[in-house]
C-alpha cells in the first residue's frame, strides 16, 4: 500500500530569522523518476514548487498555525498525514478511518479529530460534497444534519474536545459516499479537498463490499531470492470478470491509474511471476 510522509528540511521556526525552509515528500513505494507531488496547505490543494527534484515544496508565505500534506500525483487517495509547521497545535482534521463498510439498515459512527490554533470555533459540521445544492463551490458545503435525505437519522456527538463523531442510523445504500468534516473560527475556515472517510453500504452482511486488503504493507527481500506478495479481495458482485497484479511505474499508461497493465504480461517479468 502506498503511503506518503512529510519531512522538514529545516526547522520552520528558523524561517523567521531569514533561513529558507523546504518540505520534502517521501513515498513508501518506489515511484518513477521525476514523479510529481501534489501539495495541500490547510487541507486545500496548492501549486507545487520544486527544488533539486520533484519531492520538495518551498515554505514562503506561511503561519505557524498552518498544516501541510502531500501525495504522489495520480495517488491523491493516499496522502500523507497533515503535519503542523510548528509543534502539534495547528489547523488540521484527521479522520479515524479511511474507509468503512456497513450493512443496510445498521448504524455507523464516522469520527475525526480536529485542531485549531484559535480557541473560538464558531461552527463545525459534517458534509458530503455531492449532496450540497452548491456542490460546485467546495467552499460552501452544507451541513449534513440539515439534509432532508438524512432527516431523523443523523446525530453529531462530541464526547471530548477536538473529536467529532457523525452517527448515521438506518443506513441506506445511497448513503455510500465520502464524508468530510469542516470547522470555522473568526479568522479561519477548514475547506478540505483532502480525502476523508469513505462509507460503503451493502445490502448483505457488511462483509461483501468492494475492497482489497494487502497482507503486508512492505516487504524486504534479497536480490536473486523469491517473494510472495498476497492480498485478499471481496466483490459486492459474484461475477469477477478479471483480476491481476500490476505495477503503476511499469505500465505504459501508468499516469492513468484506471488503465493498469497485467504484470504477468510484462516482458520484464517473463518466466519469473506466477499467480496461483
Amino acid at each position: 500500500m502506498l503511503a506518503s510522509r512529510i519531512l522538514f528540511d529545516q526547522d520552520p521556526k528558523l524561517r523567521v530569522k531569514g533561513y529558507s525552509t523546504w518540505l520534502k515528500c517521501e513515498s513508501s513505494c518506489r515511484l518513477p523518476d521525476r514523479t510529481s507531488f501534489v501539495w495541500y496547505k490547510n487541507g486545500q490543494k496548492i501549486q507545487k514548487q520544486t527544488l533539486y527534484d520533484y519531492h520538495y515544496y518551498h515554505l514562503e508565505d506561511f503561519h505557524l498555525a498552518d498544516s501541510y500534506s502531500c501525495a504522489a500525483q495520480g495517488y491523491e487517495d493516499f496522502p500523507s498525514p497533515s503535519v503542523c509547521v510548528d509543534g502539534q497545535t495547528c489547523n488540521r482534521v484527521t479522520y479515524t478511518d479511511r474507509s468503512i463498510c456497513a450493512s443496510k439498515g445498521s448504524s455507523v459512527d464516522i469520527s475525526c479529530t480536529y485542531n485549531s490554533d484559535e480557541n473560538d470555533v464558531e461552527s463545525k459540521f459534517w458534509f458530503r460534497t455531492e449532496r450540497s445544492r452548491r456542490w460546485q463551490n467546495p467552499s460552501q458545503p452544507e451541513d449534513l444534519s440539515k439534509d432532508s435525505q438524512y432527516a431523523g437519522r443523523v446525530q453529531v456527538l462530541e464526547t471530548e474536545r477536538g473529536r467529532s463523531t457523525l452517527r448515521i442510523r438506518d443506513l441506506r445504500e445511497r448513503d455510500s459516499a465520502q464524508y468530510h468534516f469542516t470547522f470555522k473560527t473568526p479568522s479561519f475556515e477548514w475547506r478540505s479537498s483532502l480525502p476523508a472517510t469513505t462509507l460503503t453500504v451493502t445490502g448483505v452482511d457488511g462483509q461483501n463490499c468492494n475492497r482489497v486488503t494487502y497482507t503486508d504493507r512492505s516487504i524486504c527481500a534479497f536480490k536473486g531470492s523469491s517473494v510472495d506478495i498476497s492480498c485478499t479481495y471481496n466483490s459486492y458482485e459474484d461475477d469477477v470478470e478479471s483480476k491481476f497484479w500490476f505495477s503503476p511505474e511499469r505500465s505504459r499508461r501508468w499516469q492513468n491509474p484506471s488503465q493498469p497493465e497485467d504484470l504477468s504480461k510484462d516482458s520484464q517479468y517473463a518466466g519469473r511471476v506466477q499467480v496461483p
Side-chain angles (χ1 to χ4, degrees):
M1 181 71 70
L2 184 146
S4 301
R5 66 172 179 160
I6 287 180
L7 300 177
F8 286 103
D9 187 55
Q10 292 183 20
D11 187 339
K13 288 180 287 188
L14 296 179
R15 181 68 173 82
V16 179
K17 299 179 181 179
Y19 289 84
S20 181
T21 300
W22 294 82
L23 300 182
K24 182 180 181 182
C25 191
E26 288 193 345
S27 170
S28 61
C29 296
R30 184 176 179 180
L31 297 170
D33 292 338
R34 301 180 71 83
T35 293
S36 294
F37 286 80
V38 177
W39 291 89
Y40 303 85
K41 177 181 178 179
N42 295 324
Q44 285 293 96
K45 188 179 292 187
I46 52 179
Q47 181 66 35
K48 175 180 66 62
Q49 302 177 39
T50 60
L51 175 71
Y52 307 128
D53 62 32
Y54 290 79
H55 294 256
Y56 287 88
Y57 178 79
H58 188 201
L59 278 180
E60 292 181 311
D61 182 19
F62 71 92
H63 297 89
L64 295 181
D66 291 338
S67 65
Y68 289 85
S69 182
C70 68
Q73 192 168 39
Y75 299 91
E76 286 87 348
D77 287 341
F78 303 96
S80 72
S82 293
V83 296
C84 298
V85 169
D86 180 35
Q88 295 300 313
T89 303
C90 63
N91 298 311
R92 61 178 170 178
V93 173
T94 304
Y95 296 94
T96 306
D97 299 292
R98 293 291 302 277
S99 63
I100 298 176
C101 186
S103 57
K104 179 180 177 182
S106 66
S107 298
V108 69
D109 285 350
I110 303 173
S111 302
C112 74
T113 57
Y114 62 95
N115 296 311
S116 170
D117 70 312
E118 301 178 48
N119 293 323
D120 187 15
V121 176
E122 294 181 337
S123 64
K124 52 184 181 287
F125 58 86
W126 289 84
F127 69 97
R128 50 181 284 191
T129 3
E130 70 275 17
R131 286 295 299 169
S132 172
R133 291 190 297 273
R134 296 170 290 180
W135 69 270
Q136 292 185 0
N137 183 0
S139 66
Q140 295 296 327
E142 292 190 356
D143 188 341
L144 206 65
S145 64
K146 299 177 181 178
D147 190 322
S148 59
Q149 176 176 303
Y150 293 88
R153 299 194 298 121
V154 300
Q155 181 182 8
V156 178
L157 310 172
E158 190 154 334
T159 55
E160 58 183 280
R161 183 180 178 85
R163 183 176 182 84
S164 181
T165 298
L166 173 68
R167 177 169 294 170
I168 309 176
R169 299 184 295 274
D170 188 21
L171 284 172
R172 303 163 186 176
E173 292 185 47
R174 64 181 179 178
D175 293 337
S176 296
Q178 190 170 117
Y179 291 83
H180 297 257
F181 180 83
T182 185
F183 66 90
K184 185 178 181 180
T185 70
S187 62
F188 176 82
E189 183 175 1
W190 179 267
R191 303 172 178 178
S192 180
S193 56
L194 284 166
T197 296
T198 299
L199 171 66
T200 302
V201 181
T202 69
V204 289
D205 59 4
Q207 299 300 315
N208 293 332
C209 56
N210 297 314
R211 60 180 173 181
V212 174
T213 304
Y214 296 92
T215 306
D216 300 289
R217 295 292 299 273
S218 63
I219 298 176
C220 184
F222 291 106
K223 179 180 178 181
S225 66
S226 297
V227 68
D228 288 343
I229 304 174
S230 303
C231 74
T232 58
Y233 63 94
N234 295 310
S235 172
Y236 180 61
E237 303 177 49
D238 293 329
D239 187 15
V240 177
E241 293 181 346
S242 66
K243 52 183 183 289
F244 57 86
W245 289 84
F246 69 96
S247 172
E249 63 269 24
R250 286 298 300 167
S251 172
R252 291 189 297 273
R253 296 171 291 180
W254 73 269
Q255 292 184 1
N256 181 0
S258 65
Q259 294 294 327
E261 292 188 358
D262 189 342
L263 206 65
S264 65
K265 298 178 181 178
D266 189 323
S267 58
Q268 176 176 302
Y269 294 88
R272 299 195 299 121
V273 299
Q274 181 184 6
V275 180

